[in-house]
Amino acid sequence: MSAPLRPIPAPSTAPVAPTAPAVGRPAHRDANVLRWLGAYTASTVGDNVYFMALSWAAVRGGSPAQAGLVLAVGAVPRALLMLGGGVIADRFGPRRVVIGGDAVRCAVILGVALALLFTTPALWTLLAVALVFGAVDALFLPAVGALPPRITTPGQLARVQGLRGLAQRLAGVTGAPLGGLAVALGGPAAAFALAGALFALSLPLLIAVRMRPGPAGDPADGDPDTGPGAWAELRDGLRHLRRHRVLAPLMATVAVGELGFVGPLNIGLTLLVQERGWGADGMGWIVASFGAGAGLSALLLTVRGHVPRAGLVLSLGLCGGAVCVAAVGYAPSVPYAVVAGALIGLLAGLGGALCAALLQTTADPAYRGRVTSVSTLVTLGIAPLCYPVVGAAVGLWGAGPVFLACAAICASGGVIGLCSTPLRRAELPH
């Protein structure tokens, strides 16, 4: 079904971002994409360093309960404001929002680093930083997801998602050690300063990224003062998502799959290792294998650049990942769990990249920010709510049955995708 008619925006007098050439080249050889990749990598590593600095400062400045409060409070504005962040990304354009978000994060984190040179961090200061950072993330994340289609050709989006996955893996491997080293050398102030410097590094790269021309009527670089109000735009975006033949089943597939996936692979894995007596080293090997599998999927996408029958592959991958989740729960030893973890990482990384690419190519350009905000809310805001349920269930019935039940939920997400003919036949541009 077609989307509701939108008001025609008035001619814009706002400055327009530099324009990328219409003829694309392979993303890994495109200087414009590589500038974006460098900015995204620096910002993502900065995120990891920031969380290390915040957790260390919270532990040093308060009780364990207070430290937990500081780390959790940032999730509140992120969840509450995420859908509004999608509206802002569509109204102002993703490039403006990403640059503004990184600038605010840089200023706030460097300000905290400067303050910590003269005083011990107070609890209220760390709470305020976490709240501000969470609010900025609510605006920043939907814009990050909506930006790739404006910097490359549609046929390169799968490869761009592979590059993005590699950047995330690199940030996960280097961010925490860099933050820990900074804390060891100069305390939380040095770690906050390093995070701020990484955000500052991403800014000139983002400013240099050129935008491809949008289709007629795309407000992404137009006048942000035109159009309906924010609530009307949000309802319009949700209506577009709900009525779309591909986006609606895709979002349902992702939502159900995430509910069955994140619980066992986060809190459930820790409890499983404790139950089996595999120790911290066993936990480390399993987590490392998951990261290696996800990195391999990102590398394959980067090299190959296209996956035929993307919707079908995504749905089948989710079903295969569910089988591997159950295999981890009943693995007789660490090596078996490591193999299953690597397969989960491979399938989950592939599915996540294909999902993002399908969202970006299928959604109407005027709705990309709002569609991305719903996807991000589902994966980062709603799915983690199952952690307490999974923890309590493992305490009652043990890890094996809980992993099996979560695998069934995850597989049902894949079945939803397989039962939807439009999603099953969905293709990425070649």
Side-chain angles (χ1 to χ4, degrees), residues 45-318:
V45 175
D47 280 337
N48 284 268
V49 174
Y50 156 76
F51 283 112
M52 170 65 73
L54 184 68
S55 60
W56 191 265
V59 168
R60 289 187 58 181
S63 66
Q66 291 173 330
L69 176 63
V70 168
L71 296 178
V73 74
V76 176
R78 187 182 300 118
L80 293 179
L81 302 176
M82 186 69 70
L83 295 180
V87 172
I88 291 175
D90 286 334
R91 173 170 286 200
F92 288 84
R95 180 175 179 273
R96 291 171 175 171
V97 177
V98 169
I99 292 174
D102 251 2
V104 172
R105 299 199 300 177
C106 177
V108 170
I109 300 307
L110 289 179
V112 174
L114 183 61
L116 291 181
L117 292 176
F118 303 100
T119 181
T120 302
L123 178 63
W124 69 267
T125 304
L126 299 177
L127 287 172
V129 171
L131 284 170
V132 171
F133 207 91
V136 174
D137 264 359
L139 309 181
F140 182 80
L141 293 174
V144 167
L147 188 59
R150 297 298 306 273
I151 64 173
T152 189
T153 57
Q156 293 297 316
L157 281 175
R159 184 169 274 138
V160 168
Q161 292 304 322
L163 291 170
R164 185 179 178 183
L166 288 174
Q168 290 170 338
R169 300 278 76 80
L170 176 65
V173 170
T174 62
L178 283 174
L181 178 62
V183 168
L185 295 176
F192 277 115
L194 176 59
L198 288 165
F199 295 142
L201 175 63
S202 72
L203 281 173
L205 293 171
L206 285 172
I207 293 171
V209 170
R210 297 171 295 168
M211 302 286 282
R212 293 179 55 81
D218 183 3
D221 292 311
D223 187 350
D225 295 328
T226 61
W231 282 110
E233 290 191 9
L234 177 57
R235 290 194 299 269
D236 191 24
L238 295 176
R239 190 182 302 114
H240 171 72
L241 177 62
R242 187 178 69 250
R243 295 179 176 179
H244 201 285
R245 297 174 66 248
V246 174
L247 292 179
L250 176 60
M251 201 62 66
T253 297
V254 172
V256 176
E258 282 289 323
L259 282 176
F261 178 79
V262 299
L265 268 296
N266 287 280
I267 182 66
L269 184 58
T270 304
L271 298 175
L272 172 69
V273 169
Q274 291 179 344
E275 181 181 290
R276 303 290 174 81
W278 290 344
D281 55 340
M283 175 83 171
W285 279 109
I286 298 171
V287 172
S289 71
F290 177 86
L296 178 59
S297 70
L299 181 62
L300 291 174
L301 274 175
T302 301
V303 173
R304 183 173 176 80
H306 179 73
V307 176
R309 304 294 298 272
L312 177 62
V313 172
L314 185 154
S315 302
L316 290 175
L318 196 56

Side-chain angles (χ1 to χ4, degrees), residues 10-47:
S12 171
T13 59
V16 179
T19 302
V23 179
R25 65 181 67 181
H28 60 288
R29 299 177 183 174
D30 188 338
N32 195 51
V33 173
L34 294 179
R35 285 191 292 269
W36 164 83
L37 181 65
Y40 180 77
T41 303
S43 182
T44 307
V45 175
D47 280 337

